[in-house]
Amino acid sequence: MKKLIYILIIGYISLLNANVKAVVSILPQELFVKSIGGDKVDVSLMVKPGNSPHTYEPKPSQMRYISQADIYFAIDVEFEHVWLKKFINQNQDMQVVDLSDGIKKIEIQKNFEEHESDHEDEHHEGHDHHKHEGLDPHIWTTPSNVKIIAKNILNSLVKIDSKNKEYYEQNYKKFLEHIEQTDSKIKTILKNIPKKSKFMVFHPSWQYFAKEYSLVQLPIEIEGKSPKPKALVKLIKVAKQYKVKAIFTQPEFSPKIANTIAKQLNIDVIKTSPLNKYWSENLIKLAQAIASHNKN
Ligand code: ZN
């Protein structure tokens, strides 16, 4: 009897401390949600390291977790366009929050030439903003966007678990400081290279980063595809013309084409991923690599 009462009490206490069960799509989001949710939120990650959020398919165990989850933090990456509806069918009590709410998205950079001729996107203002295909999903690559994401996370957690409001707000404040420190470190690193310094990438993940810090991203991939031989020749010409000294590749994609170009030009290939778990360190490292490859 004593034992039973004990079990009941423990059960009751753990019920009181029940954590918010959250699901996120990509690894950087896990960090963002944990930074604000602390030990009050369990975070489950959808797109496991090494996979691409453009093509991911959830595992059965992940679908089971979804059926018990309280909240899904979406960020409008490609696989969500296919799967989010299925997740909602699986668990209609689960709240779905789009963390990209309030972020001004820019169109996917199709190739270097278009970038050269297309100076501003103002004239695209009239386009259908609900059409997602054309908008660049890699929004979390700048501190200013992550500030908006953090606010969205705070608001949703306070709504779903209001008794821990103060706890979440304190964590949020600390996280904002961390974001600001990241931004000032990046600015310091890039201070000494010319504005509009160029960096070549395979998959165009860094457009927001480039815009924020007055850099120019030169993507190899064209509309999600590797360039055809003719385009490849052109790319090599462009890389030479701009004196590109490195190509950034992502472990989630094949490095073959980037390696070919790098070999021809005798330049470095640097692996970096916007999906890196260490969001701040990752951006700082990218800035350092860009800075060290743009000195004359
Ligand atoms: Zn991507």
Side-chain angles (χ1 to χ4, degrees), residues 52-54 137-138 140 203-205 250 253 274:
S52 165
H54 293 281
H138 308 91
W140 62 94
H203 182 68
S205 299
Q250 250 180 267
F253 299 94

Side-chain angles (χ1 to χ4, degrees), residues 5 30 55 75 77 95 148-149 182 184 190 194 254-255 264 290:
I5 289 171
E30 186 181 75
T55 52
I75 194 161
V77 287
Q95 285 196 37
I148 298 171
I149 290 171
T182 304
S184 62
L190 297 172
S254 163
Q264 286 224 21
I290 292 171

Side-chain angles (χ1 to χ4, degrees), residues 13 21 26 34 43-44 50 52 54 89 91 94 102 118 120 139 144 178 183 200 216 219 232 258 262 275 287:
I13 289 170
K21 281 199 166 89
I26 55 167
K34 278 185 174 168
V43 186
S44 176
S52 165
H54 293 281
N89 278 340
N91 179 357
M94 179 175 71
D118 177 21
E120 269 318 317
I139 51 169
S144 63
H178 177 65
D183 179 51
M200 188 169 258
V216 177
L232 193 62
L275 301 167

